[in-house]
Amino acid sequence: MVRDGYYYGLVMLASALLVGWLAQPAWAVVPILLAAFFMWFFRDPERVIPADPGAVVSPADGKVTDVSIVKVNGQGFQRISIFLNVFNVHVNRSPIAGVIRDARYQSGKFLNAMNTESAESNEQNTVTVEGQGQKLIFRQIAGLLARRIVFTKKVGDTVERGERVGLIKFGSRTDVLLEPGAAISVKVGDKVKGGSSILAFVKVAELAGRPSGQSQRVTW
């Protein structure tokens, strides 16, 4: 379980004790149920990470809601959007192994993550990862209920494919931006699991000749 689950759970259990003491024990049922929900919500199960060369894994659990072409600084990318509802695991994982080249937080609104405007207007964290000839961008996007994005890495850190890198509290969305040559393995409506579901394959050999250290600055 993510550490936050203990905090929320203990607060609710303390509230249950206080309510049961000041009022009637029956009233303590509500905060006890909330404590159980928070500890369940912040669960952090282990995942089997695929070892397939060039595989790009999902950064989060959820449902694929969009596979489309978008423009970033005039360059075309394939975007895969994943919607996380309140019942999904909300721990985020790195889609590929490599080095964090860029990580930028943007404050914003809290529109429904299903809304197409949320990709531009909502609170979000945009991360560029480069490694083994692969380079991609993924975004943690807050949703209608989410009020905090957590990212535990910093620029220059090395991450493994499927490694935990943060979470988004409550309903939210993650986007993965891939270069046009990537072979997409999912479609709209598919359910995916963070770290274990393969979203796409990148031809590593074709990208291996790129100079490292050139980060992709993103403007939305």
Side-chain angles (χ1 to χ4, degrees), residues 160-171:
E160 297 298 325
R161 179 192 296 164
E163 181 178 342
R164 297 169 177 87
V165 295
L167 75 154
I168 315 174
K169 296 183 179 180
F170 307 108

Side-chain angles (χ1 to χ4, degrees), residues 9 15 49 98 142 161 208:
S15 300
I49 312 301
R161 179 192 296 164

Side-chain angles (χ1 to χ4, degrees), residues 56-60 80 92-96 100 102-104 124-129 135-141 150-151 153 159 163 165-166 173-178 199 218 220:
V56 177
V57 300
S58 178
I80 301 174
N92 296 149
R93 295 171 178 265
S94 177
I96 63 172
I100 305 294
D102 194 21
R104 293 181 297 119
Q124 59 192 264
N125 189 52
T126 302
V127 181
T128 302
V129 187
K135 185 175 182 180
L136 61 70
I137 300 163
F138 75 92
R139 293 183 294 166
Q140 302 167 286
I141 304 173
V150 178
F151 186 66
K153 304 296 181 180
V159 293
E163 181 178 342
V165 295
R173 165 180 164 179
T174 59
D175 282 357
V176 178
L177 300 177
L178 301 160
L199 299 182
V218 184
W220 298 96

Side-chain angles (χ1 to χ4, degrees), residues 7-93:
Y7 295 153
Y8 284 93
L10 289 174
V11 168
M12 288 296 103
L13 288 175
S15 300
L17 290 173
L18 184 62
V19 169
W21 179 57
L22 295 177
Q24 296 181 359
W27 288 101
V29 172
V30 173
I32 288 175
L33 291 176
L34 285 173
F37 169 76
F38 284 128
M39 288 188 284
W40 171 81
F41 176 84
F42 286 104
R43 64 199 185 281
D44 184 13
E46 295 295 333
R47 294 285 165 78
V48 177
I49 312 301
D52 307 57
V56 177
V57 300
S58 178
D61 288 24
K63 181 179 180 180
V64 177
T65 56
D66 181 58
V67 179
S68 60
I69 302 296
V70 296
K71 289 280 189 179
V72 178
N73 295 333
Q75 181 180 354
F77 283 87
Q78 298 185 82
R79 180 180 67 188
I80 301 174
S81 297
I82 301 163
F83 175 74
L84 296 75
N85 63 41
V86 74
F87 300 109
N88 290 128
V89 173
H90 275 57
V91 173
N92 296 149
R93 295 171 178 265

